[in-house]
Amino acid sequence: FFTFGGAYLIQYLTGRTVFHFPTPLLILIALAPAIFALKVVFNAHRPVFFKIFEWPRSRYFFLLADYPIRLLLVLIIVWMLWKWIRPAYPFCGLTFQNFEWKPYLILLACMVPLIAFASTRPDFLNTYPKLKNIAFFTSTSSYPWIHRLLFEISYGIDFITIEIFFRGFLILAFAHYMGKDAILPMAAFYCVIHFGKPLPECISSYFGGMLLGILVYKTQTIIGGLIVHLGIAWLMEAGGYIGNVTIKKTINL
């Protein structure tokens, strides 16, 4: 809230923008960090899985369902707010209108060498792949690759949630009140959620957030950004997996 609301306040005080603060906008600025915080800590569904299944299946199926459930939670809240303010944009940019593949594929291709380099760094390899979070289950599973694939699909759903919230909601819903000036606060907020991750990832998240925010504001669709984000996420998973396997083979030699 300090970062997100502060970014709006700084723009206002420095005269970069002429927008005013109507009551609905103030409510949205206050609610946005709370919605994301709820998404992060929500685990009301956890006891259900641990009651139905025995260990280790209980934890695996909980992790598998966790991201889709959080997506549903965010969608419901954002949809209700969207109905309240009625912005003149497609709901959270979930439309293929004005969407073109080429620029987003170029952006994704530019990320490949950067991810390849990051995959050689210890801090990156300590964080990725997230697949290691289910090693407790796949190490004894009869179908480990199926269970890994299902987890990666579920993991990808979290990035759908991220794009809907940051680019769809924080750009298009807030643009209803202040237009392009919604982009910078969103990018600042987006950078904050990367604190604690590898430093290059944290720094690049701000500029990546700005770029995707501009594209969404211009096109009114998040589909391209979603493709880029999912592509980067799964490339990082692949890079982390290959990097860690390479290190283990080197140590064994």
Side-chain angles (χ1 to χ4, degrees):
F1 175 76
F2 175 81
T3 303
F4 184 58
Y8 279 115
L9 184 60
I10 289 172
Q11 287 188 110
Y12 180 75
L13 293 177
T14 55
R16 284 194 68 257
T17 178
V18 295
F19 68 79
H20 301 286
F21 288 89
T23 300
L25 174 58
L26 293 174
I27 293 174
L28 288 178
I29 292 174
L31 281 180
I35 294 170
F36 192 79
L38 178 62
K39 178 260 181 191
V40 172
V41 303
F42 184 78
N43 65 352
H45 51 293
R46 187 177 186 274
V48 176
F49 289 90
F50 282 80
K51 183 177 294 185
I52 296 175
F53 303 102
E54 295 183 355
W55 177 269
R57 292 186 178 183
S58 56
R59 179 161 177 78
Y60 173 74
F61 286 118
F62 163 69
L63 292 174
L64 206 62
D66 193 38
Y67 293 123
I69 289 173
R70 292 171 193 261
L71 169 60
L72 182 61
L73 174 68
V74 171
L75 270 176
I76 292 172
I77 297 173
V78 169
W79 181 80
M80 290 190 295
L81 291 173
W82 202 276
K83 285 292 184 181
W84 173 50
I85 62 175
R86 298 183 182 278
Y89 302 104
F91 174 63
C92 285
L94 292 170
T95 175
F96 281 91
Q97 188 175 358
N98 300 325
F99 168 69
E100 295 182 8
W101 287 89
K102 188 175 179 180
Y104 298 101
L105 293 179
I106 292 174
L107 284 173
L108 187 57
C110 291
M111 292 300 301
V112 172
L114 298 177
I115 294 173
F117 172 74
S119 300
T120 65
R121 306 295 299 172
D123 54 347
F124 181 90
L125 296 177
N126 285 335
T127 305
Y128 298 98
K130 298 296 185 179
L131 198 61
K132 61 188 176 184
N133 292 337
I134 61 168
F136 69 91
F137 183 72
T138 55
S139 60
T140 59
S141 171
S142 302
Y143 307 98
W145 284 105
I146 293 178
H147 292 125
R148 288 168 183 158
L149 177 61
L150 290 174
F151 176 80
E152 288 292 357
I153 293 173
S154 177
Y155 176 60
I157 288 174
D158 190 45
F159 294 91
I160 299 176
T161 310
I162 294 295
E163 286 303 312
I164 286 174
F165 180 77
F166 282 94
R167 257 66 73 178
F169 180 56
L170 296 191
I171 293 294
L172 296 181
F174 284 68
H176 179 67
Y177 295 100
M178 76 287 294
K180 62 181 176 56
D181 292 312
I183 297 172
L184 189 148
M186 177 281 297
F189 188 173
Y190 185 60
C191 180
V192 166
I193 72 168
H194 289 78
F195 286 1
K197 293 188 176 183
L199 185 59
E201 181 183 352
C202 183
I203 295 173
S204 64
S205 68
Y206 174 77
F207 297 101
M210 285 285 288
L211 180 58
L212 291 178
I214 292 170
L215 289 172
V216 168
Y217 179 73
K218 293 291 186 180
T219 63
Q220 299 179 20
T221 175
I222 68 167
I223 302 301
L226 181 56
I227 291 172
V228 172
H229 210 163
L230 280 171
I232 291 173
W234 283 327
L235 283 172
M236 290 170 70
E237 283 291 283
Y241 181 81
I242 294 170
N244 278 290
V245 168
T246 302
I247 288 177
K248 288 180 181 179
K249 287 184 177 179
T250 304
I251 292 174
N252 291 334
L253 289 174

